[in-house]
Each structure stands twice: as C-alpha cells, then as structure tokens.
Amino acid sequence: MIIDGKVISQSLKDAMKIEVDALAEQYGRRPCLMVIIVGDNPASRSYVRGKIKATEYCGFDGHLVELPEDVSEATLLAEIDKLNNDPLVDGILVQLPLPKHISEDKVIAAISAEKDVDGFHPENVARLWLNQHCILPCTPKGIIELLDQAGVEMAGKKAVVIGRSNIVGKPVAKLLLDRNATVTIAHSRTKDLAAVCREADILVAAVGRAKMVTAEYVKPGAAVIDVGINRTEDGKLVGDVDYEAVLPVAGAITPVPGGVGPMTITMLMRNTIECFLNRMNNK
Ligand code: NDP
C-alpha cells in the first residue's frame, strides 16, 4: 500500500477550510499565522511559498514578513517581540536555517510558547516529554497522522526510528512511544543497522542520505515512513529509502515527494488552529 500524503493532506486541508469558516463566524476573526523569512535561500523560499499557499487555502489571516540576509539579530528579535504582543496573531514561524550571525536557539526561544506553531520552543519540547499539553512539532505529528490514516496499528508493535535530531528523530520516537509502540532509536553509531531495522514493524527513516534504506533493511510487511529529502546529482528529489527496491517488500510505504512533506505543512495549519483555539478559550 502506498500512503499518499498528498491525498490525505488535501482532505485534511479541505476539512480545515470549512472549520476555519465556522471559527470566523463563532469568534469574529480567523486564525492568523505570521511567517518570517530572512534572506534569499532558494530552498527556504520554496518551503515558505508552500506554507503561505496553504495558509491562504485554509482561509487564515496572516502574511509573510521578509527580512534581508544581513538583518541584525536584535532587529529579528524585536520583530518577533512585536508579533508576540499582537493579540491578533496566533502563530509565529521563523523559517530555518538562519544566517550564521543569528542564533537559532535564541530566535526559537524568543517566540512565545503559546504561538510556537513549529513546536520547537524549549517549553513545548519539555512539555512533550513530560506528557503535558503542548504544541507538537509538525513533521512528527504528520507521521503519526499518516500511520493513523493508513490504518497502521502502533500499539504493541516494534518501531525503529533512524535519526535522533531534535526536530524529527527524537519527537517521532516519543510520539510512537505514546502510542504504545516499543521504540528503538538508531543513529550513525548503530552497529548492524540493517539487522536492527529488520526487526521493525514500523520503520521511520530520518537521516538525509539518498536511498540508504534498501530492501535488506525492511521486514516483509513493515510500514516504512520516509522522512528524508535529498537531491540526486541530476536534481531529482529522493528520500532516504530506495523506493523501488523497498516497495515490493513493505506492507505500506510513503513516497518522496508526496509523503511526509505535504503532511508537515498540513500539521502547521492544524497547529495554527490549535493555537488560535487555546488563545481564544483562555481569554
Ligand atoms: P539531522 O542531520 O539533524 O539528523 C540526521 C540523523 O541521521 C542523525 O541523528 C544522524 O546520526 C543520523 N545518521 C546520519 N548518518 C547515518 C547513518 N549512516 N546511519 C544511521 N544514522 C545516520 O537531520 P534531520 O533530522 O533534521 O532531517 C533528516 C532528514 O529529514 C533530512 O533529509 C531532512 O531534509 C528531512 N526532513 C524532512 C522534513 C519533511 O517535512 N519531510 C522535515 C524535516 C526534515 P547522529 O546523531 O549519530 O549524527
């Protein structure tokens, strides 16, 4: 079974569009997402375009704040502070990576935790690990949604996550644990990675190495979630999984593009609605 992130994403966005119209009626305004981009990095520009397009599609308010590559850290922090204090702004996102002269840690911590639609703020990260109410990071949240939508049972299953980054590997592992999977986190120092992965009923690859997961990594019938985004020499977008080789072995698999990627943006929209509702109901 191919888990089509594009189709799932579209139906979730269609439902949110209707929900947002109803929220506008009920609360007298629409959820508002502000996206900040610094500089002209083409990949960041392309991600931001996708986010703004989805924002418009779902009927949110908000817009893009564009700052030049050489903007000072102080100016960026002041911009964030302004948005933190704006009662009509529900979500703030600063597109990463930032230029070297700006501390990403400082910027992430400067965004008010209640408007942190990316779920990267230390308070949200801590709350996730403490099982407290929090804003979940978008890619891990999208992966769990994909597994749910594909009808993949997580409870009691063995899951292996390759990668231990703060934005993907570790939070995905935590969310799988919360769904009662038994989770192994693998990384660059894991011995005999293929044998570790072959144990998995659910295999999540979040490495950033083209086609590294071959058929010998996959237990027949396993669900394989490919988070990786890599470019081949001829410019083609591929994941961490050798899709053609793994497709006949896997029970379910996400393609790249069209798997986890669209879900990340859709979960950003979901998080914006959740931030809006938290703020409106805490008034
Ligand atoms: P990082 O570079 O932060 O982490 C990569 C992880 O892979 C590290 O934990 C590293 O191990 C591990 N790793 C590297 N080489 C190997 C190896 N040979 N064997 C086993 N493990 C290895 O990346 P991110 O987590 O930020 O992103 C991972 C991928 O997901 C990237 O391709 C990124 O572009 C993509 N991505 C996709 C998103 C989407 O929406 N689809 C969103 C975010 C990311 P160690 O810790 O030991 O160094």
Side-chain angles (χ1 to χ4, degrees):
M1 187 215 323
I2 295 168
I3 308 177
D4 192 331
K6 249 181 161 168
V7 168
I8 294 170
S9 214
Q10 189 57 49
S11 78
L12 291 170
K13 279 189 291 189
D14 286 342
M16 280 191 272
K17 196 180 163 84
I18 295 167
E19 185 182 352
V20 166
D21 284 342
L23 291 174
E25 285 266 306
Q26 187 181 348
Y27 293 99
R29 71 173 186 87
R30 291 168 177 274
C32 172
L33 173 64
M34 299 296 288
V35 178
I36 301 178
I37 183 164
V38 177
D40 282 319
N41 178 306
S44 294
R45 287 257 155 209
S46 152
Y47 288 134
V48 160
R49 263 198 307 279
K51 290 170 186 177
I52 296 294
K53 215 169 120 193
T55 301
E56 287 166 0
Y57 187 84
C58 292
F60 295 166
D61 282 334
H63 63 260
L64 184 60
V65 178
E66 296 180 74
L67 298 171
E69 181 83 21
D70 61 356
V71 70
S72 70
E73 186 179 275
T75 305
L76 174 57
L77 293 175
E79 186 63 42
I80 292 170
D81 196 47
K82 198 173 83 191
L83 298 176
N84 282 341
N85 291 310
D86 186 336
L88 298 180
V89 171
D90 303 294
I92 305 167
L93 180 154
V94 179
Q95 183 64 41
L96 303 178
L98 290 167
K100 295 262 179 294
H101 66 280
I102 300 177
S103 156
E104 287 188 355
D105 286 349
K106 255 194 206 172
V107 167
I108 289 168
I111 296 170
S112 157
E114 63 165 15
K115 299 188 180 188
D116 169 39
V117 278
D118 262 336
F120 292 164
H121 191 284
E123 193 177 313
N124 281 313
V125 176
R127 285 176 164 274
L128 167 64
W129 289 91
L130 294 170
N131 297 333
Q132 294 174 358
H133 181 262
C134 66
I135 302 166
L136 295 177
C138 301
T139 301
K141 184 172 176 161
I143 290 169
I144 300 298
E145 183 74 38
L146 279 180
L147 289 169
D148 273 336
Q149 295 264 349
V152 175
E153 180 63 56
M154 287 169 260
K157 302 291 178 185
K158 280 190 187 166
V160 172
V161 178
I162 320 173
R164 54 177 165 181
S165 73
N166 289 330
I167 61 165
V168 192
K170 278 188 269 189
V172 172
K174 173 64 167 72
L175 294 183
L176 286 163
L177 187 63
D178 289 347
R179 298 297 291 267
N180 297 315
T182 300
V183 186
T184 300
I185 304 178
H187 45 78
S188 66
R189 313 282 280 275
T190 299
K191 296 263 188 296
D192 201 352
L193 183 61
V196 171
C197 293
R198 265 198 313 274
E199 293 276 303
D201 302 304
I202 300 165
L203 178 61
V204 179
V207 178
R209 292 188 64 187
K211 297 190 175 189
M212 123 174 204
V213 174
T214 55
E216 65 155 340
Y217 283 60
V218 180
K219 175 176 165 179
V224 179
I225 304 291
D226 190 352
V227 188
I229 300 177
N230 312 287
R231 290 263 170 208
T232 59
E233 273 173 16
D234 53 359
K236 214 177 136 210
L237 194 69
V238 295
D240 291 343
V241 175
D242 184 342
Y243 185 77
E244 281 74 27
V246 169
L247 185 61
V249 185
I253 185 168
T254 59
V256 175
V260 175
M263 288 301 284
T264 297
I265 295 192
T266 300
M267 292 303 110
L268 179 66
M269 302 301 113
R270 187 75 248 154
N271 279 353
T272 304
I273 294 179
E274 286 173 18
C275 288
F276 169 86
L277 285 172
N278 287 340
R279 297 186 62 251
M280 296 310 272
N281 296 327
N282 282 339
K283 261 185 178 171

